């Protein structure tokens, strides 16, 4: 049950909140490696009649799919972009595939990378695959490309079409690319020495971006007009690609939804303690990094994937385990060679027009299982100094306890956590700001100062028929939760029904969200030009500036506001002040 919820839910912490969903979620429990039936409503027929594309790397055979508006498009799924990262290649940087010897059969879904899932869900360590979706057009002008990096805390989810379905965005004239990258220890092991400098999961993404540069033209995409977009862990990744020494010239616009690697946490050079935890969880020695790695290399990928829950405490915290590392120089190609914040402040970026966002309520629901459970309430109340730094991701130094107290004052008025609405609300806001809100806000403030390109900031506040947190009793959406904007950009058939074309508000929001992405991918500016996109006729979205920190509130209507959650974010600014 626990393992199953981990995939259904977005990150492991949602386990408690999502438990009521387990039995009826539309997860692909019928899937197996042998008989991998795609779960999306309009998956293509795998056959010799599938569309064929001849790329510089070789011929690729796909399948046909249909958008929610009934437009036929071509789907090429599960294409390997790197050598299978198995055996001696486990824990090594990705090795790109430049040529395919045979025609690639991309007519069916590839596996997800190892994570805890039911045994029937298709995962494999040989998971470095890319999916390309392109309109059925013969336009001479290549189309904008959107390269989507999936969410999941660097330890869950996948780019497969049941979690990142193309059926909404392909109603626009764009080429959509989704990918897998290695997760958890298999992707982000970092012992901080030459054996495992770290960041392999990001390097996977870079290799996929390079694949796009070489091959996307054959799919009708424009390699000179690539938008990288990501949510949560994907949003971290997007931001880091802007400052990585490995990514110059690989993209031209960027979208970061609900995630920032620049936040209240200190930067790190290694994740050695996680490597030790991983070793302990699967019975490996922990004497030194060589002993750890040699032993971890012998473990089946399922055992590593399934060990994830062992990394969390009783609150399913901390949410973020495998954070990016500033790699020390061992002669390897480094993904990150300096602190992200310094790179931004020094303008050492491949800056591009940037959309940055957070949702109105993010991880608010994290409060419920605590507030409703006497044991957890008592633990949190009596051991606040111990748990707050873990749960709210505070730097574990001398200031941690002081910060924990200040946050308790600000968000809980210094009262013990009790089973009431005020506590749930206060604790929910604290989780929201600690895990996502403050970091994103800091990122937007930094980028609008140091980037030579425009920064468009928005808050997703729309609450529709579905949400990533629904009340377990009424099944109703309560607020704009972490990942909720994705509901209107991608079909998420593992969990939600397709939003059919109708005059419902949800349907309108699909049109607006996809129009914003399309317009931004095409022009580097989300605002409408002429009458091309009537669904955006009411949108007038100014870029954010240091003196006018405006943002778009994306709700049933568009509105422009200023100084997002000023009182709350000021508390954090005082605790973790930086020179902007
Ligand atoms: C492609 O692979 C799928 C799944 O293995 C298989 O069912 C299908 O027959 C293959 N198509 C071709 C043309 O080989
Ligand atoms: C695109 O061109 C090919 C080859 O000329 C043709 O067979 C196909 O029908 C055209 N597709 C569309 C959508 O026009
Ligand atoms: C590794 O550590 C264990 C337990 O501390 C110890 O018994 C063992 O001798 C050590 N092995 C090596 C090779 O140092
Ligand atoms: C409360 O939380 C504890 C610790 O996680 C758990 O063991 C217990 O089952 C929970 N109680 C209820 C009623 O959910
Ligand atoms: C919530 O959803 C479950 C599963 O679909 C269903 O059994 C239950 O009746 C629903 N509850 C309400 C109040 O609609
Ligand atoms: C929710 O779904 C129902 C049934 O499809 C639809 O009638 C209604 O308009 C939807 N609500 C919103 C806010 O889109």
């Amino acid at each position: 049950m626990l393992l199953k919820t981990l995939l259904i839910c977005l990150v492991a912490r949602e386990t408690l909140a999502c438990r009521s969903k387990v039995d009826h979620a539309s997860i692909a429990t019928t899937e197996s490696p042998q008989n991998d039936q795609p779960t999306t409503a309009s998956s293509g027929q795998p056959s010799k009649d599938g569309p064929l594309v001849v790329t510089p790397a070789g011929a690729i055979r796909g399948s046909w799919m249909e958008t929610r508006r009934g437009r036929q498009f071509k789907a090429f799924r599960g294409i390997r972009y790197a050598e299978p990262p198995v055996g001696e290649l486990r824990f090594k940087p990705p090795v790109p595939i430049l040529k395919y010897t045979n025609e690639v059969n991309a007519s069916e879904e590839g596996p997800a990378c190892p994570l805890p899932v039911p045994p029937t869900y298709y995962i494999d360590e040989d998971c470095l695959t890319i999916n390309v979706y392109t309109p059925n057009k013969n336009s001479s002008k290549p189309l904008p490309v959107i390269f989507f990096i999936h969410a999941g805390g660097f330890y869950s989810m996948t780019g497969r079409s049941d979690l990142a379905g193309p059926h909404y965005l392909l109603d626009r004239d764009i080429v959509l690319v989704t990918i897998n990258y290695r997760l958890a220890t298999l992707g982000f092991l970092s012992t901080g020495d030459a054996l495992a400098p770290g960041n392999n999961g990001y390097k996977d993404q870079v290799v996929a971006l390079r694949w796009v540069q070489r091959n996307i033209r054959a799919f009708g995409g424009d390699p000179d007009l690539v938008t990288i977009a990501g949510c949560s862990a994907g949003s971290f990744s997007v931001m880091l690609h802007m400052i990585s020494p490995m990514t110059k010239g690989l993209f031209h616009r960027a979208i970061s939804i609900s995630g920032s690697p620049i936040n209240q946490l200190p930067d790190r050079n290694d994740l050695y303690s996680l490597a030790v935890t991983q070793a302990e969880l699967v019975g490996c020695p922990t004497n030194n990094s060589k002993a750890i790695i040699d032993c971890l290399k012998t473990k089946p990928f399922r055992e590593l994937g399934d060990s994830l829950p062992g990394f969390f405490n009783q609150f399913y915290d901390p949410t973020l385990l495998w954070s990016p590392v500033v790699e020390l120089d061992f002669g390897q190609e480094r993904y990150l060679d300096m602190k992200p914040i310094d790179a931004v402040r020094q303008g050492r970026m491949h800056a591009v027009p940037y959309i940055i966002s957070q949702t109105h309520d993010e991880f608010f629901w994290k409060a419920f299982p605590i507030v409703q459970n006497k044991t957890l309430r008592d633990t949190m109340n009596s051991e606040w100094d111990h748990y707050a730094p873990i749960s709210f991701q505070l730097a574990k130094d001398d200031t941690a306890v002081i910060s924990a107290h200040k946050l308790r004052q600000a968000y809980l008025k210094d009262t013990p956590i009790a089973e009431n609405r005020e506590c749930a609300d206060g604790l929910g806001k604290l989780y929201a700001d600690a895990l996502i809100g403050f970091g994103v806000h800091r990122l937007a403030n930094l980028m609008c100062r140091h980037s030579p390109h425009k920064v468009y900031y928005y808050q997703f506040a729309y609450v529709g028929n579905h949400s990533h947190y629904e009340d377990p009793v009424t099944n109703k959406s309560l607020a704009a939760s972490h990942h909720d904007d994705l509901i209107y950009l991608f079909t998420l058939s593992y969990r939600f029904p397709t939003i059919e074309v109708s005059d419902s508000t949800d349907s309108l929001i699909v049109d607006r969200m996809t129009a914003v992405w399309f317009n931004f991918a095409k022009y580097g500016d989300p605002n409408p030009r002429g009458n091309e996109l009537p669904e955006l006729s009411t949108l007038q979205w100014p870029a954010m500036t240091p003196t006018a920190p405006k943002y778009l509130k994306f709700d049933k209507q568009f509105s422009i506001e200023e100084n997002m959650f000023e009182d709350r974010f000021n508390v954090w600014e005082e605790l973790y002040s930086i020179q902007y």
Side-chain angles (χ1 to χ4, degrees):
M1 174 85 78
L2 172 69
L3 299 184
K4 189 169 173 183
T5 46
L6 279 168
L7 184 90
I8 295 167
C9 303
L10 300 165
V11 293
R13 323 166 23 88
E14 291 197 50
T15 307
L16 291 164
C18 294
R19 186 149 289 167
S20 67
K21 295 278 165 213
V22 170
D23 297 327
H24 56 272
S26 58
I27 190 172
T29 43
T30 54
E31 285 185 293
S32 71
Q34 290 75 37
N35 181 22
D36 182 32
Q37 296 300 317
T39 52
T40 41
S42 53
S43 296
Q45 317 83 30
S47 79
K48 294 188 289 303
D49 302 332
L52 181 74
V53 163
V54 180
T55 71
I60 302 177
R61 176 82 62 180
S63 62
W64 294 101
M65 284 189 177
E66 218 173 77
T67 64
R68 78 172 193 136
R69 289 188 184 274
R71 221 159 75 134
Q72 211 186 30
F73 65 95
K74 302 172 191 173
F76 303 86
R77 288 172 295 169
I79 309 165
R80 282 191 190 86
Y81 61 82
E83 297 295 344
V86 304
E88 277 310 303
L89 289 183
R90 183 184 277 184
F91 304 132
K92 288 282 192 296
V95 179
I97 296 181
L98 303 176
K99 283 277 180 212
Y100 301 106
T101 40
N102 298 312
E103 181 179 296
V104 177
N105 179 356
S107 63
E108 301 213 342
E109 206 73 56
C113 290
L115 74 163
V117 280
T120 48
Y121 195 83
Y122 186 11
I123 60 168
D124 199 310
E125 193 173 2
D126 176 8
C127 64
L128 295 183
T129 58
I130 191 164
N131 311 300
V132 181
Y133 306 98
T134 186
N136 184 24
K137 290 204 157 189
N138 287 334
S139 85
S140 53
K141 199 169 177 314
L143 302 176
V145 177
I146 296 179
F147 181 99
F148 180 67
I149 306 169
H150 72 75
F154 302 109
Y155 47 66
S156 68
M157 299 191 72
T158 157
R160 283 163 52 94
S161 71
D162 52 345
L163 280 83
H167 310 84
Y168 300 160
L169 281 166
L170 263 288
D171 273 319
R172 309 288 175 185
D173 284 342
I174 56 120
V175 175
L176 176 67
V177 176
T178 63
I179 56 158
N180 285 341
Y181 51 91
R182 281 173 283 176
L183 302 174
T185 293
L186 290 168
F188 297 96
L189 177 82
S190 168
T191 49
D193 50 26
L195 296 173
N199 293 335
N200 281 339
Y202 297 107
K203 292 172 186 174
D204 294 342
Q205 299 173 14
V206 174
V207 167
L209 278 166
R210 290 175 180 158
W211 187 98
V212 165
Q213 284 301 306
R214 292 192 301 275
N215 297 303
I216 208 67
R217 170 102 40 194
F219 296 90
D222 186 348
D224 296 320
L225 205 55
V226 176
T227 298
I228 51 173
C231 178
S232 197
S235 175
F236 271 61
S237 308
V238 163
M239 193 279 140
L240 295 173
H241 290 324
M242 230 176 283
I243 55 171
S244 168
M246 294 176 71
T247 47
K248 189 169 166 43
L250 299 181
F251 58 88
H252 312 89
R253 297 128 179 35
I255 302 176
S256 269
I257 294 181
S258 295
S260 166
I262 298 174
N263 48 42
Q264 72 273 20
L265 280 167
D267 294 290
R268 302 172 64 169
N269 298 117
D270 67 71
L271 302 171
Y272 196 83
S273 58
L274 284 178
V276 169
T277 305
Q278 179 67 83
E280 285 167 352
L281 285 170
V282 297
C284 282
T286 57
N287 307 46
N288 53 53
S289 63
K290 182 163 190 318
I292 291 173
I293 293 170
D294 285 349
C295 177
L296 289 180
K297 270 189 170 170
T298 68
K299 295 291 172 185
F301 68 80
R302 267 184 204 279
E303 194 179 340
L304 294 173
D306 285 348
S307 67
L308 176 67
F311 287 89
F312 302 106
N313 72 16
Q314 57 187 323
F315 306 111
Y316 288 91
D317 290 337
T319 304
L320 186 65
L321 293 159
W322 287 275
S323 47
V325 293
V326 180
E327 284 170 62
L328 302 175
D329 186 1
F330 305 103
Q332 82 281 24
E333 188 174 21
R334 285 193 282 175
Y335 175 71
L336 271 186
D337 61 357
M338 66 191 296
K339 291 182 181 186
I341 192 169
D342 293 339
V344 172
R345 276 195 300 231
Q346 294 168 24
R348 225 207 59 178
M349 302 186 262
H350 330 300
V352 294
Y354 202 4
I355 290 179
I356 298 174
S357 75
Q358 57 181 291
T359 69
H360 188 273
D361 305 283
E362 293 293 354
F363 278 101
F364 75 105
W365 51 261
K366 277 286 299 173
F368 298 144
I370 298 172
V371 167
Q372 289 163 0
N373 181 319
K374 183 167 183 332
T375 317
L376 295 182
R377 275 198 315 267
D378 290 350
T379 310
M380 199 56 136
N381 282 330
S382 59
E383 296 173 65
W384 179 265
D385 289 356
H386 171 71
Y387 283 110
I390 299 170
S391 294
F392 310 120
Q393 302 185 162
L394 313 178
K396 288 198 191 82
D397 56 21
D398 303 344
T399 67
V401 169
I402 299 166
S403 298
H405 284 205
K406 289 257 166 69
L407 291 170
R408 184 169 176 149
Q409 256 165 24
Y411 285 85
L412 295 164
K413 304 199 186 87
D414 242 346
T415 57
I417 296 167
E419 188 170 10
N420 63 46
R421 185 179 276 275
E422 292 72 40
C423 277
D425 187 61
L427 190 60
K429 289 189 166 96
L430 177 50
Y431 265 113
D433 295 348
L435 303 189
I436 304 292
F438 173 61
V440 167
H441 196 65
R442 173 157 279 185
L443 174 65
N445 271 300
L446 276 166
M447 293 304 295
C448 81
R449 282 172 173 76
H450 299 286
S451 169
H453 292 278
K454 287 194 169 156
V455 171
Y456 298 95
Y457 191 25
Y458 81 90
Q459 179 188 68
F460 191 77
Y462 176 68
V463 182
N465 270 345
H466 287 286
S467 169
H468 287 89
Y469 181 83
E470 293 171 357
D471 185 283
V473 177
T474 63
N475 299 339
K476 289 235 163 37
S477 313
L478 299 179
S481 180
H482 193 52
H483 292 203
D484 274 2
D485 8 22
L486 296 183
I487 293 175
Y488 310 94
L489 288 160
F490 296 93
T491 45
L492 301 166
S493 65
Y494 77 110
R495 184 150 173 205
F496 301 117
T498 297
I499 299 169
E500 304 296 346
V501 178
S502 75
D503 55 12
S504 74
T505 315
D506 283 10
S507 178
L508 174 67
I509 301 296
V510 172
D511 289 337
R512 288 195 173 152
M513 284 299 287
T514 57
V516 162
W517 273 37
F518 166 70
N519 224 21
F520 184 69
K522 194 164 177 185
Y523 302 112
D525 179 344
N527 288 294
R529 329 186 141 216
N531 301 321
E532 199 188 338
L533 295 165
E535 54 273 59
L536 297 186
S537 60
T538 57
L539 179 67
Q540 282 184 291
W541 184 357
M544 180 178 179
T545 66
T547 48
K550 294 195 163 104
Y551 66 94
L552 170 71
K553 186 162 179 182
F554 201 125
D555 203 334
K556 288 195 188 71
Q557 277 87 38
F558 295 127
S559 57
I560 303 303
E561 311 208 343
E562 203 165 320
N563 294 320
M564 195 186 294
F565 296 143
E566 195 175 11
D567 295 346
R568 283 153 55 182
F569 292 152
N570 277 346
V571 174
W572 292 86
E573 289 295 356
E574 280 171 27
L575 292 174
Y576 298 96
S577 67
I578 56 164
Q579 189 64 46
Y580 281 93

